[in-house]
Amino acid sequence: MKKFAQLISLALVAVMCVALLASCAPASDPAKAEKALKDAGYTTVKDTTITPAAYKLLTGKNVNTVLTGTKTDDDKNVQHITIVYFDKAEDAKTAYEKLADESDKEKKDESDWVFAKSGTMVYWGTKTAVKDAR
């Protein structure tokens, strides 16, 4: 009985960790992410034609939507996020790997900067903007 209780406890911890990790990324649906950003006071731009078409021409990979949100709290505090939604997780992984080195160079000491991949999307921006896009 003691081992069973330990296994149940371990399973619950694993489920909680997965839920925590999944909640760190923006919404996986562009419409939900756009609504969340607008509700939080961001100015958003959603592109489903020009940028995806250009990306397809340059790389051969299919991009579904590009969503950008910006909010200025005051003159010195700007929150920003860009989310690129790909058709396939493989395409997102390839793009993430190519951009990761550049992101590390740009980040330098700015600890508020986030660059990550989740499922079929690659996103970058400030930590606050990422949280607001959920």
Side-chain angles (χ1 to χ4, degrees), residues 7 14 26 39 46 64 95-96 104 107 113 131:
L7 286 174
D39 290 347
K46 185 165 97 173
N64 215 347
Y96 175 79
D104 290 341
K107 183 177 179 179
W113 182 254
K131 289 178 188 174

Side-chain angles (χ1 to χ4, degrees), residues 40-110:
Y42 286 76
T43 301
T44 63
V45 174
K46 185 165 97 173
D47 184 3
T48 59
T49 54
I50 297 171
T51 305
Y55 193 82
K56 172 77 173 171
L57 284 172
L58 292 172
T59 66
K61 308 290 184 192
N62 290 325
V63 170
N64 215 347
T65 305
V66 177
L67 177 64
T68 303
T70 304
K71 177 173 88 170
T72 305
D73 296 332
D74 53 44
D75 290 338
K76 294 180 181 180
N77 193 7
V78 176
Q79 304 299 332
H80 176 80
I81 186 168
T82 298
I83 310 167
V84 180
Y85 294 90
F86 290 86
D87 284 343
K88 298 178 184 175
E90 294 171 15
D91 294 346
K93 181 180 178 188
T94 302
Y96 175 79
E97 290 170 351
K98 287 184 178 181
L99 293 171
D101 291 335
E102 292 299 319
S103 174
D104 290 341
K105 290 177 191 173
E106 291 291 322
K107 183 177 179 179
K108 297 178 184 170
D109 293 333
E110 190 179 341

Side-chain angles (χ1 to χ4, degrees), residues 14-15 18 23 29-30 32 54 65 67 72 81 94 126:
V15 168
V18 167
S23 68
D29 178 14
K32 289 180 182 177
T65 305
L67 177 64
T72 305
I81 186 168
T94 302
T126 59

Side-chain angles (χ1 to χ4, degrees), residues 8 30 78 93 119 121 128:
I8 293 295
V78 176
K93 181 180 178 188
M121 64 182 163
T128 302

Side-chain angles (χ1 to χ4, degrees), residues 1-16:
M1 187 68 175
K2 195 174 190 182
K3 278 192 173 193
F4 180 72
Q6 289 175 342
L7 286 174
I8 293 295
S9 298
L10 183 61
L12 287 173
V13 169
V15 168
M16 290 171 45

